[in-house]
Amino acid sequence: MKKIIGFDIDGVITDESHPNDNIWHDALCKYLGRDLKRVHQSYQFTKAYGLPIDVVESFIEEKMEELISNVKPMPGALDTLDFLNERGFEIHLITARDSKYDWVTYQWLKENNIPYTSLIHDENKAPLAVEKGIELFVEDSSSNTIEITAEGIPVILLNKYHNQDITDSNIIFRIANWSEINGKIKKYFGINY
């Protein structure tokens, strides 16, 4: 194996947990000045909360940079990424974030000492995973998981409310946290230490 691995950022490397639900839910409730109830288990705000697209777009325009610049890394993410970097892995970060947030993303990665080989902003992750020669991808999105595995690339799927429609298979491995991600990566690549 060449030791080439891909990671999503939001909800995988970033810790979006919050006592009320997650940082996005909490920020959206504050932005609208009311408690929201999820009507659908979706990552998309329009579907999840039944909100009009213009409201969601205004919220994202106003709050996105603040939220992504202040979020903390997921516990265990830095240790695992450092471990992989020290062992010569190519670490490709492929995020669906709009490329207008590339500067704040670079700054966040730098401030949190996140090692990586490349950072790519693109919603269409599967072709990029193929192009980069990625052998294993860590993701939390159902649609990205389906598209990436359709290319024959195994996915470690971080368990979230919005991906319960995906079941484990011989190339989809549902896990709960970065300790399990670390263990699955070591097993997949045959790392015994």
Side-chain angles (χ1 to χ4, degrees):
M1 291 188 172
K2 300 176 208 166
K3 302 193 300 190
I4 305 173
I5 192 163
F7 292 90
D8 177 33
I9 296 178
D10 294 310
V12 172
I13 295 176
T14 63
D15 185 0
E16 298 183 355
S17 60
H18 187 278
N20 293 340
D21 190 28
N22 65 49
I23 61 170
W24 299 98
H25 175 86
D26 189 54
L28 187 56
C29 289
K30 284 181 182 174
Y31 178 78
L32 295 174
R34 67 180 197 264
D35 286 334
L36 294 171
K37 300 293 180 215
R38 190 174 279 113
V39 295
H40 188 269
Q41 296 299 345
S42 173
Y43 195 70
Q44 303 298 323
F45 294 140
T46 51
K47 286 176 84 176
Y49 301 105
L51 294 172
I53 189 71
D54 61 319
V55 171
V56 172
E57 287 174 349
S58 294
F59 165 72
I60 289 172
E61 186 66 33
E62 188 173 322
K63 296 294 182 181
M64 178 77 153
E65 190 169 320
E66 174 188 337
L67 286 166
I68 64 177
S69 62
N70 292 316
V71 68
K72 301 292 182 211
M74 190 83 76
L78 181 57
D79 291 339
T80 298
L81 293 167
D82 279 342
F83 176 87
L84 297 172
N85 187 53
E86 289 166 4
R87 280 150 188 84
F89 276 76
E90 284 185 30
I91 300 169
H92 298 284
L93 307 180
I94 305 177
T95 179
R97 288 180 183 177
D98 191 295
S99 61
K100 71 181 178 180
Y101 300 110
D102 63 348
W103 182 84
V104 71
T105 303
Y106 282 116
Q107 285 298 113
W108 185 86
L109 293 166
K110 182 178 179 183
E111 288 170 11
N112 288 283
N113 300 308
I114 305 291
Y116 61 95
T117 306
S118 72
L119 170 64
I120 305 161
H121 293 263
D122 199 318
E123 289 183 14
N124 198 5
K125 296 179 182 183
L128 292 166
V130 171
E131 177 185 316
K132 294 289 184 185
I134 290 172
E135 299 164 275
L136 181 65
F137 202 96
V138 183
E139 180 61 70
D140 71 327
S141 162
S142 295
S143 59
N144 289 329
T145 296
I146 291 166
E147 291 169 10
I148 292 167
T149 56
E151 296 292 344
I153 301 167
V155 171
I156 295 174
L157 182 64
L158 187 56
N159 191 42
K160 299 287 179 115
Y161 68 87
H162 57 264
N163 62 30
Q164 296 304 302
D165 57 324
I166 300 290
T167 55
D168 285 12
S169 70
N170 62 339
I171 62 171
I172 298 174
F173 316 107
R174 183 179 295 276
I175 53 81
N177 55 48
W178 271 87
S179 176
E180 291 181 19
I181 290 173
N182 187 308
K184 183 57 83 174
I185 291 170
K186 287 178 180 175
K187 183 177 180 182
Y188 184 82
F189 287 99
I191 301 170
N192 296 320
Y193 50 93

